[in-house]
Amino acid sequence: MTTTRRSFFAGAAGFAGAAGFAGTAAVLPAAFSGRLLAQEESAPAPAKLPPSIAALPNRRDEAKPITSEEREARIAKARELMAQHGMSAICLAGGTTLSYFTGIRWGNSERMTAIVIPAKGKPYGVCPAFEEERLQERLTLVPAMAETKLYTWQEDDSPYELVAQGLRDAGLATGTLGIEETMPYVFADGIGAALPQVKLVNARPVTVGCRSIKSPAELALMQLANHVTLAVYEAAWKAGHPGMTTHAFSGLISAGYERSGFPGDGSCETGEYSALPHGSIKPQTIREGAIVLIDDGCTVEGYQSDISRTFVYGKPADKMHQVFEIVKRAQAAALATAKPGVPCEAVDAAARQVITDAGYGPGYAHFTHRVGHGIGMDGHEWPYLVKGDKLPLAAHMTFSDEPGIYLRGEFGVRLEDDMYITEDGAKLFTGPSLSLEQPFGA
């Protein structure tokens, strides 16, 4: 359903480390939705690996990094979209959008570093003076960014005035500047004050216009991430058993990702706590005949997977079987509905109708969240499969497909796989769950 712990620990630590900001926190990824507050600290790997975990191969060599040529094409597309939407330039601070266009992994602290990509002309950047050399060497990795001019500031200078100076130097002092939507408010506010003659707008039409349509290389990385996650989940399921704590089960998943060569982890909820989509901080022990719900995924060259599986060790109750089958039909309905030209909200409506018709409606009564979110470099990213989102789907968009039914005080069932939109429909990156007893097939 989400990638909160993984995104926070891997993303925040990685970005903060990359930016060299000791003692400061990176801005939380877009996927952060609160589950970090409802989880114990990241589960440790077991001292001795069970056979199913030990048998997982390292697949790191299968991941093919995004090429500089592809990043060049992304920048070119962004410029086309800027022209279409009347933007003179877009401004990016640290985060996944900066990485998407430049390959630079850079975090945000109180010291602003930003890259401005104009619709015409050369990009420029603003960074602390002591970061100039380090940022410049990263910019040279993408030919379109190699000649980026850097405006540097000392600790008692204003970086916002330098953003303004760069626009004036480019002849864009009275245009429209798109601000990447996850930029910290303090940065956007400072830029706005320094540029009273420039209109600031959300750069989403440009950034989402680029990022929401995945290239073959991006789809290949996401395919690998999904395959790795499903293999790790299956290995953990085989090693798990009644009497094990959910914290220990999460440790099996963490160990599986370490064996596979990619950062990732997994949450685990059981029994009545599986009815809370983002879990509980309370200690839990897996019991025979109880629902177990696992979630999260891994990161492959910056691209995410997000898969949930629900299963039972032993014999499930009849009601559990019934709910599982309803959720399975809802997931299939969403997949069958998703195709180019169909509005995002129609996919949610198709899954929700199945659940409502089965007596678990109306609305969000028991299916308490949207059916899916965009996924790519962020675990949650635009667009979203939810009522009110009328954006038409397009080929090569990617989403989670994750209906659920949550019965407070009893149990919850969620089935989640990631899907990609094809020219005439949609496909899952992974095969769907078969049953509560065989969540990964025979």
Side-chain angles (χ1 to χ4, degrees), residues 69-86:
E69 290 78 13
E70 180 158 331
R71 295 193 198 280
E72 293 270 337
R74 294 172 177 180
I75 293 171
K77 182 178 179 181
R79 285 175 162 153
E80 292 176 4
L81 292 173
M82 285 182 230
Q84 291 176 22
H85 293 278

Side-chain angles (χ1 to χ4, degrees), residues 103-153:
I104 297 171
R105 296 187 179 186
W106 203 275
N108 295 313
S109 74
E110 77 285 1
R111 295 185 178 107
M112 189 187 79
T113 292
I115 298 293
V116 177
I117 302 175
K120 296 180 180 179
K122 296 178 181 178
Y124 71 91
V126 173
C127 71
F130 67 83
E131 297 281 26
E132 180 179 10
E133 185 175 353
R134 195 163 64 88
L135 180 57
Q136 192 67 67
E137 70 180 7
R138 285 158 173 75
L139 287 166
T140 59
L141 299 177
V142 180
M145 306 297 294
E147 297 183 25
T148 299
K149 180 178 180 179
L150 292 182
Y151 294 79
T152 63
W153 55 281

Side-chain angles (χ1 to χ4, degrees), residues 38-59:
Q39 289 287 344
E40 302 175 64
E41 66 279 2
S42 188
K48 184 178 179 181
L49 295 180
S52 60
I53 300 292
L56 289 168
N58 187 300
R59 303 184 65 178

Side-chain angles (χ1 to χ4, degrees), residues 330-398:
Q331 187 188 45
L335 183 69
T337 301
K339 61 186 63 176
V342 171
C344 286
E345 65 177 0
V347 182
D348 180 90
R352 203 165 298 278
Q353 190 64 55
V354 171
I355 289 173
T356 298
D357 289 348
Y360 288 100
Y364 296 94
H366 296 291
F367 179 11
T368 56
H369 51 77
R370 65 200 169 202
V371 78
H373 52 81
I375 186 170
M377 293 186 75
D378 286 311
H380 288 195
E381 62 183 40
W382 295 96
Y384 297 100
L385 304 177
V386 65
K387 183 179 180 181
D389 193 334
K390 301 183 185 302
L391 179 74
L393 298 178
H396 303 156
M397 285 182 172
T398 50

Side-chain angles (χ1 to χ4, degrees), residues 398-432:
T398 50
F399 301 92
S400 67
D401 179 0
E402 51 174 307
I405 293 176
Y406 306 96
L407 307 177
R408 292 296 179 93
E410 296 184 63
F411 63 86
V413 172
R414 179 168 67 253
L415 299 178
E416 178 181 17
D417 294 276
D418 298 331
M419 66 178 175
Y420 58 98
I421 309 303
T422 68
E423 299 296 336
D424 56 3
K427 293 182 179 180
L428 298 178
F429 285 106
T430 47

